[in-house]
Amino acid sequence: MEPSITLDPTNIPPLGGIAPIAQPVKKEEQPFKLLDNAPNDVSLGGFFGKLMIGVVIGGCISALLFAVLSAVGGLLGGEGGAPSSILGILLAFIGFIAGMFGNMGLALLYNLFFSKRYYTLGKMFGLIFTSSIIIFVLSIPLYFLFAGGVATLFTILGFQILFSFFITSNLIEFLAQPNYAASSMMGNTLGFVLSVAVYLAIISGLQGQELNNQIFLFMLLPTIVGYPVILFGLGLWDAIYYKFFEWGNNPFYLPSLAELRKDRQEEVEAEAKSREEVNVEVDT
């Protein structure tokens, strides 16, 4: 029994055996889509969640500083408010411990509550430890250069803690999204400037108070002010930048080396294709 043959009417060539010329299919225009590697989309819950983390970490480190202040209070100053000889080194070490523990605590809470974005906990801890040592070493000469009084030395301590968290926040965001390192630096810089302004505004009103009250506030203000305010500035900037991104602007995007190589390869292929088309037209 011979097998039956079924003809596909859509696949029958026309008379003469010449297949029809395939007509180009027009691609439907796709609406604007967000990139897979989009900037940080700040939700309301995430924004206030980070602020609460900053408040908690700032409060814990302030309690630690208060305990240290109570333990070494006799070493803080001498007669007439003059600083003791070891006060500069002591404050630099206190700033190192407070900044490192606070920043590591922040990284840990980030990893617990925002694990999809901040998942490299080991690298965060390593960068925080290394940067804390560098800031500690660089800050020691400042305590000797500006050893004019106890209040001045505690002001330097405040700047050391604020700057330490500023660097840490940048490093954490760089690890989270390297392509938006420039944008996150803008947000952290905004928060750092705001925190310094608030810190200076508060301590400027402490000039007429007793030295013990000034020291107490100088120890507590950097972490209480620094962590929430810097995170506020970063979150505010991320929210503004994401709106610009939705409007089709992405000025602070930094392409990776692989992306640059891919773009360059596509340019080379496009140039080679255009040269081939020109040669074909000349030959004909």
Side-chain angles (χ1 to χ4, degrees):
M1 182 176 180
E2 296 181 357
S4 60
I5 300 176
T6 304
L7 297 178
D8 185 2
T10 61
N11 197 26
I12 299 176
L15 297 176
I18 301 176
I21 300 175
Q23 298 295 328
V25 179
K26 295 183 179 180
K27 295 183 179 180
E28 296 182 358
E29 295 184 0
Q30 299 292 335
F32 174 74
K33 293 184 178 180
L34 299 180
L35 297 175
D36 292 336
N37 193 11
N40 185 26
D41 185 9
V42 182
S43 63
L44 192 62
F47 178 75
F48 285 103
K50 287 186 177 181
L51 287 184
M52 287 303 300
I53 290 176
V55 172
V56 170
I57 295 297
C60 292
I61 299 303
S62 295
L64 174 64
L65 292 175
F66 178 77
V68 172
L69 177 63
S70 302
V72 299
L75 302 175
L76 296 179
E79 295 283 336
S84 62
S85 57
I86 64 170
L87 182 58
I89 296 293
L90 180 62
L91 291 182
F93 183 74
I94 290 175
F96 164 72
I97 296 298
M100 184 179 64
F101 282 175
N103 297 335
M104 286 186 174
L106 182 94
L108 179 60
L109 293 182
Y110 270 13
N111 181 257
L112 290 176
F113 295 103
F114 304 98
S115 57
K116 290 185 179 180
R117 179 175 173 85
Y118 307 101
Y119 53 89
T120 55
L121 184 60
K123 288 185 178 180
M124 287 192 290
F125 277 1
L127 290 175
I128 289 171
F129 178 74
T130 305
S131 63
S132 298
I133 292 179
I134 294 175
I135 294 173
F136 167 68
V137 173
L138 295 178
S139 63
I140 290 178
L142 298 177
Y143 288 97
F144 291 98
L145 291 174
F146 302 97
V150 176
T152 303
L153 294 180
F154 273 91
T155 303
I156 298 175
L157 172 66
F159 279 103
Q160 180 184 352
I161 295 175
L162 291 175
F163 186 71
S164 176
F165 179 60
F166 167 71
I167 296 297
T168 293
S169 185
N170 278 308
L171 294 175
I172 290 176
E173 296 299 327
F174 292 173
L175 286 175
Q177 276 188 310
N179 296 114
Y180 292 96
S183 178
S184 61
M185 178 174 286
M186 297 294 178
N188 284 313
T189 302
L190 173 62
F192 178 69
V193 172
L194 289 175
S195 65
V196 170
V198 174
Y199 178 67
L200 292 177
I202 295 176
I203 65 174
S204 63
L206 304 177
Q207 301 298 328
Q209 297 187 16
E210 295 181 0
L211 181 61
N212 291 334
N213 294 335
Q214 292 183 9
I215 291 175
F216 176 77
L217 292 175
F218 280 150
M219 291 286 281
L220 302 183
L221 283 176
T223 53
I224 293 178
V225 171
Y227 284 90
V229 175
I230 291 178
L231 293 179
F232 171 80
L234 176 61
L236 179 63
W237 172 265
D238 284 344
I240 295 174
Y241 187 79
Y242 194 83
K243 286 299 180 183
F244 280 102
F245 175 75
E246 288 181 326
W247 296 337
N249 301 306
N250 200 10
F252 294 115
Y253 180 80
L254 303 177
S256 62
L257 182 59
E259 291 173 316
L260 293 174
R261 288 176 176 174
K262 182 180 179 181
D263 293 341
R264 179 56 183 165
Q265 183 178 1
E266 291 177 352
E267 291 177 1
V268 171
E269 292 176 354
E271 292 176 359
K273 185 177 180 180
S274 62
R275 285 197 298 268
E276 291 178 359
E277 292 177 351
V278 170
N279 292 334
V280 171
E281 292 178 358
V282 171
D283 294 339
T284 56

